[in-house]
């Protein structure tokens, strides 16, 4: 028995090895056929845009929508050329749309669509990802206001032209032009219960009521001279609106009588207004300095004022209908959900989604799995973004420099320019991350376990000196997580213990390590040497424990920065001459030099397997070189400069930060999931500009008349002839067939049913209505002397026998003479629609002793052979065969007519099974080839 098992294992290993060899032969054949050729391309071969991390919203006010089918509120925010859709429950991100041609200038929403204006074009989105309508024409400039109500859509552009369209037909109905010198529209709204009426506010302080059906002004309201109208909001009371004026005032105005009911003076400038609709007379205002004010309208006083709720103006503010919840959006890239459940109706923060308010200063993947990205922004804040689940994003806080070592004091935190990644050791009992701040000499430490700033400050002198005359420029954390090496602009390089903050060694002492600014430092994996590069064109390699120089490498230009591969001793050196050099810290030799970059290199990173080098430059290009061959294998251009980048630990993603984008762009590495032919690209190739989000196409869907729900996806019968296809029947139906006896035994009653005694008022015996026996008619059965015709007549006259001899639809289909080509698939669907007990009865009834015949059993074997050969319904046919063989095994072995069909069925089963295993072995071979097991 052991020999058989060993032989089986050897056969499996031989098949896997053969699959590997086939993969190698196919790859070598492809290389030989395309050797010497180049493939020009218009987008990246390797990377494809996946998603944007940390971009939540911008200055465009968010839109609140209630979907009746899901009975849930959705919040839609703008992120430049795209929109995000969040669920009100925990603000989980549901979808991100594709990109438009220009930036979105305004948004609006109704029950069915979200409307966005991009330039002079309006797009209607359904489900946040599909464009159902496109409204063009009528505007010669950027649209700044959109108002949907009923079947019409109102839009106003910067030049004062107002257009009305039909939402379904996209037809432009009418248009009117305002003179910006006398009435420049600043806000628009639809008063409740005012049919075909809209209310327009202007920067001149006037307010007009228009009938859009006739395109005629009905009434000109009071003129608030010297104040611009910033916002108008409908109040819960009919005929009343709230008007926000530029002179820090909010008016409650009655439209019917043109009378101001209430005037509220504010400390801050209100720019957005919302009313509670849950039977509480309160108003909420969002102010230009980021504060939020809650007003009690009965007492005309401030109930609560929260300062610094946002760092930028609160542009978006809306209350949920009949709920004590409201949300705010701001240009500081923050979306917040508030709940009014405090004492006296005050509010508190319920949930928030936020990102950097300024472009990130440095990004690195966090942890060994690579599911999170650690980002330090120019806003001085540290954030952690999860790749797959936005609800667990974390804001670590603001980096603060102690006052006794601070070079400058400012209300705003200094930008963070660099930090050390998490060490391999992943220390949990002390700080393990060092952060470098712009224009500061002190380096602060943070704990990745506690998500907070520690008390340790790395400073080169024992006595802290306020306003030092030197600045830290670069740093590096050792693999053990205990030591940090920091370079300064005065040419010195120091080593510290991150746990205690003690100074351990100064390299180059008593002299400076470099003549000029130190641009980069690095430590090898085993703490054997330290590399430092400076503006003096020198790369020095020092012994880790002493300040002895092991090697000096001289370059033609100053060193801009250095970076190291995480799992090896390969060092990358960026030069001021726009060149990139690759150095081996073990042999101290230069391995590769890439000189075909025509602009300053911003950042570079090695792939996890150290096979590729990806770098970004000031000309907005991202290049990738193959290190073994030295060829450029990929290049693409973005709209702005990529300032920082990093590979995930598994190589699945590339994270990039742009100079003018507050989000983190996540690219998917296509070579991880499929084979890519990486032929060399000409050095002078100029790729076109590729928009990151345009790689995700925007579907345009034609909406049928009267249809408001989404389409249903219909799965094809089979995907490919080489693949096996399972049935769409529930698994419980065919799995129960294998254990019907166990199920019946389990479902048997444990004790007989109890006999209940009838009540006393019911008779104990039932009597027939009449004792006359003649009233009961007895059936008459006629006898015949002919024995052959007797059985046929009984079968014709007896209902029981006629039911017994009648074949089922499945048996009839098996015995049908003129069968269609796909008859076996139709019969499979008949069995799949039956319950487990019905299927068992159907298969048991094929035997002669159960009312079937030998022909029926032979037809079932042929039916099973066709189904197995077609590779369809592979799960259910195996269960049916199991029941058939288990119940009819004795008859199949005793009858000679089954011998040949059984052999054919066995041959089909063996061939199909071998093809399955060949496919599995081929997949295993590809996986082993990708992992590098054969090298």
């Amino acid at each position: 028995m052991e020999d058989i098992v060993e032989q089986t294992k050897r056969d499996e290993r031989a098949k896997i090895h053969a699959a590997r060899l086939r993969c190698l032969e196919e790859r070598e054949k492809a290389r030989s056929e395309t050797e010497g050729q180049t493939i020009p391309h218009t987008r990246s071969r390797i990377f494809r845009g996946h998603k944007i991390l940390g971009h939540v919203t911008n200055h465009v006010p968010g839109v609140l929508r209630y979907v009746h089918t899901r009975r849930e509120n959705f919040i839609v925010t703008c992120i430049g050329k795209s929109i995000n859709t969040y669920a009100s429950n925990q603000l989980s991100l549901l979808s991100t749309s594709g990109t438009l041609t220009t930036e979105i200038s305004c948004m609006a929403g109704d029950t069915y669509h979200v409307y966005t204006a991009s330039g002079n074009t309006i797009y209607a989105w359904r489900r946040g990802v599909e464009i159902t309508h496109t409204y063009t024409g009528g505007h010669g400039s950027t649209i700044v206001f959109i108002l949907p109500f009923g079947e019409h859509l109102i839009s106003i552009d910067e030049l004062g032209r107002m257009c009305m369209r039909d939402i379904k037909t996209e037809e432009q109905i009418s248009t009117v032009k305002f003179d910006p010198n006398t009435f420049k529209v600043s806000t628009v709204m639809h008063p409740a219960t005012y049919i075909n009426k809209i209310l327009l506010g202007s920067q001149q302080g006037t307010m007009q009521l228009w009938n859009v059906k006739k395109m005629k002004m009905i009434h000109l309201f009071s003129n608030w001279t010297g104040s611009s109208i910033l916002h108008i909001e409908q109040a819960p009371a009919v005929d009343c609106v709230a008007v926000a004026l530029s002179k820090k005032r909010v008016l409650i105005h009655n439209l019917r009588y043109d009378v101001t009911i209430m005037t509220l003076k504010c400390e801050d400038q209100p720019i957005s207004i919302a009313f509670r609709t849950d039977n509480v007379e309160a108003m909420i205002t969002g102010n230009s300095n980021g504060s939020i004010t809650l007003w009690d309208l009965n007492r005309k006083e401030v109930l609560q004022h929260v300062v610094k709720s946002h760092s930028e103006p609160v542009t978006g503010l809306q209350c949920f209908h009949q709920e004590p919840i409201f949300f705010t959006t701001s240009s500081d890239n923050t979306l917040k959900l508030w709940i009014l459940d405090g004492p006296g109706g005050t509010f508190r923060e319920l949930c928030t989604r936020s990102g950097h308010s300024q472009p990130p200063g440095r990004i690195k993947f966090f942890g060994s799995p690579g599911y999170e990205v650690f980002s330090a922004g120019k806003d001085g804040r540290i954030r952690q973004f999860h790749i797959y689940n936005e609800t667990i994003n974390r804001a670590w806080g603001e980096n603060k420099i102690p006052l006794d070592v601070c070079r400058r004091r400012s209300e705003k935190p200094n930008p963070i320019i660099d930090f050390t990644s998490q060490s391999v050791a992943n220390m949990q009992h002390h700080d393990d991350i060092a952060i470098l701040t712009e224009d500061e000499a002190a380096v602060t430490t943070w704990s990745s376990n506690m998500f907070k700033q520690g008390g340790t400050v790395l400073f080169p002198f024992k006595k802290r000196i306020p306003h030092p005359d030197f600045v830290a420029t670069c740093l590096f954390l050792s693999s053990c997580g205990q030591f940090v090496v920091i370079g300064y602009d005065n040419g010195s390089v120091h080593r510290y213990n991150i746990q205690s903050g003690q100074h351990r060694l100064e390299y180059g002492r008593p002299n400076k390590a470099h003549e000029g600014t130190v641009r980069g430092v690095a430590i090898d994996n085993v703490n054997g040497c330290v590399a430092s590069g400076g503006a003096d064109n020198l790369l020095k390699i020092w012994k880790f424990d002493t300040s002895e120089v092991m090697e000096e490498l001289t370059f033609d230009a100053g060193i801009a920065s250095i970076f190291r591969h995480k799992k090896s001793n390969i060092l990358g050196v960026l030069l001021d001459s726009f060149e990139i050099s690759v150095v081996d810290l073990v042999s101290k030799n230069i391995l590769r030099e890439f000189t075909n970059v025509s602009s300053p290199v911003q950042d570079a990173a090695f792939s996890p397997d150290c096979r590729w080098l990806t770098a970004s430059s000031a000309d907005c290009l991202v290049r990738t070189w193959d290190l073994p061959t030295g060829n450029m294998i990929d290049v693409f251009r973005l709209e702005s400069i990529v300032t920082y980048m990093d590979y995930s630990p598994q190589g699945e993603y590339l994270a990039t930060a742009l100079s003018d984008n507050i989000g983190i762009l996540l690219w998917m590495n296509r070579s991880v999931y499929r084979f890519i032919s990486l032929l060399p690209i000409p050095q002078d190739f100029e790729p076109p500009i590729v928009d990151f989000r345009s790689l995700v196409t925007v579907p345009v869907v034609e909406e049928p008349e009267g249809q408001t729900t989404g389409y249903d996806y219909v799965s094809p019968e089979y995907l490919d002839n080489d693949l096996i296809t399972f049935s769409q029947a529930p698994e419980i139906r065919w799995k129960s067939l294998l254990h019907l006896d166990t199920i019946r035994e389990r479902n048997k009653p444990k004790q007989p049913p109890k006999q209940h005694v009838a009540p006393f008022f019911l008779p104990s015996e039932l009597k027939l209505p009449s004792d006359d026996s003649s009233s009961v008619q007895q059936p008459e059965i006629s006898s015949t002397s002919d024995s052959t015709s007797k059985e046929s007549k009984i079968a014709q006259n007896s209902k029981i026998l006629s039911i017994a001899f009648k074949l089922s639809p499945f048996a009839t289909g098996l015995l049908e003479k003129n069968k269609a080509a796909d008859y076996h698939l139709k019969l499979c669907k008949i069995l799949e629609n039956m319950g487990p007990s019905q299927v068992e009865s159907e298969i048991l009834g094929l035997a002669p002793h159960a009312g079937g015949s030998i022909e029926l059993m032979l037809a079932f074997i042929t039916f099973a052979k066709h189904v197995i050969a077609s590779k369809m319904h592979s799960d259910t046919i195996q269960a049916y065969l199991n029941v058939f063989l288990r119940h009819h095994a004795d008859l199949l072995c005793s009858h000679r007519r089954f011998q040949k069909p059984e052999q054919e069925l066995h041959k089909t089963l063996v061939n199909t099974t071998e093809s399955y295993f060949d496919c599995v072995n081929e997949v295993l071979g590809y996986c082993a080839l990708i992992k590098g097991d054969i090298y």
Side-chain angles (χ1 to χ4, degrees), residues 796-816:
Q796 294 176 1
N797 298 329
S798 175
K799 294 182 179 180
I800 298 176
L801 291 178
S802 63
I803 294 175
F805 288 125
K806 187 178 180 180
L807 296 177
S808 65
F810 175 73
T812 305
L814 289 176
L815 296 177
E816 188 176 353

Side-chain angles (χ1 to χ4, degrees), residues 561-573:
S561 64
I562 63 176
F563 58 97
R564 184 180 67 83
H565 184 250
K566 298 177 182 179
K567 297 182 180 180
S568 66
N569 291 322
I570 302 299
L571 195 70
V573 181

Side-chain angles (χ1 to χ4, degrees), residues 318-576:
Q318 279 188 272
C319 286
F320 287 31
H321 183 64
Q322 295 294 331
E323 293 185 40
I325 300 175
F326 68 95
F327 79 91
T328 57
T329 60
S330 176
S331 57
D332 62 352
N333 195 24
T334 304
L335 167 65
K336 290 186 178 182
L337 202 64
W338 309 81
I339 183 170
L340 297 112
D341 61 350
T346 56
F347 61 90
R348 62 180 175 87
E349 184 177 324
L350 181 63
C351 186
T352 181
R353 291 287 170 266
S354 60
H356 291 293
S357 59
Q358 297 182 19
R362 172 68 71 175
I363 58 173
K364 292 182 181 180
F365 277 89
F366 184 78
S368 56
Y371 298 152
E372 296 173 330
V373 178
F374 185 53
S375 172
K378 296 181 180 179
D379 54 0
R381 297 185 178 274
I382 304 164
R383 298 184 180 274
Q384 182 179 341
F385 301 101
H386 199 277
I387 293 177
Y388 305 113
N389 189 0
E390 290 81 5
T391 58
I392 59 177
N393 290 349
R394 187 185 298 272
W396 286 24
E398 179 182 314
N399 186 47
K400 297 181 179 180
I401 305 296
L403 296 179
D404 53 357
V405 291
C406 183
R407 296 186 75 247
R408 61 178 183 177
R409 298 181 182 181
S410 175
E411 295 181 357
K412 294 184 178 180
N414 293 345
I416 299 174
I417 58 176
D418 199 2
F419 61 89
T420 61
S421 59
Q422 191 182 28
S423 65
V424 179
N426 190 14
M427 298 297 176
Q428 298 183 0
H429 304 291
H430 60 82
D431 299 344
D432 57 348
I433 295 178
I435 293 183
L436 180 64
T437 310
E438 185 182 43
D439 199 22
E440 290 290 346
V443 174
T444 57
T445 59
W446 287 67
S447 172
S448 62
N449 185 38
M450 302 299 294
F451 307 107
K452 68 177 184 178
Q453 184 175 353
T456 305
V457 178
L458 305 180
F459 198 71
F461 305 113
K462 292 184 179 180
K463 184 179 179 181
R464 297 184 179 182
I465 303 174
H467 307 289
D469 57 352
F470 56 91
V471 174
T473 56
C474 54
L475 76 170
F476 197 91
L477 178 68
S478 62
S479 299
C480 64
Q482 294 290 340
F483 301 100
V484 177
V485 175
I486 303 176
Y488 297 89
D489 62 347
N490 58 3
S492 61
V493 178
H494 297 264
R495 176 162 59 90
Y496 304 86
N497 185 291
I498 193 173
Q499 181 176 2
S500 62
Q502 297 294 324
H503 182 270
R504 295 304 183 191
L505 184 64
E506 180 182 358
Y507 294 95
R509 193 173 182 180
N511 299 322
K512 300 294 183 181
H514 291 271
E515 295 295 333
T517 304
V518 180
R519 302 284 184 79
V521 291
I523 309 174
D524 67 343
N525 285 334
V526 295
N527 293 352
C529 63
V530 175
S532 63
D536 54 357
N537 303 3
L538 293 178
L539 176 66
K540 295 184 179 181
I541 303 177
W542 315 78
K543 283 188 177 181
F544 182 81
D545 296 332
T546 64
S547 60
E548 180 183 353
V549 178
M550 301 173 61
E551 189 72 26
E552 282 190 10
L553 299 178
T554 304
F555 295 91
D556 297 335
I559 296 176
S561 64
I562 63 176
F563 58 97
R564 184 180 67 83
H565 184 250
K566 298 177 182 179
K567 297 182 180 180
S568 66
N569 291 322
I570 302 299
L571 195 70
V573 181
L574 306 181
L575 304 179
D576 291 337

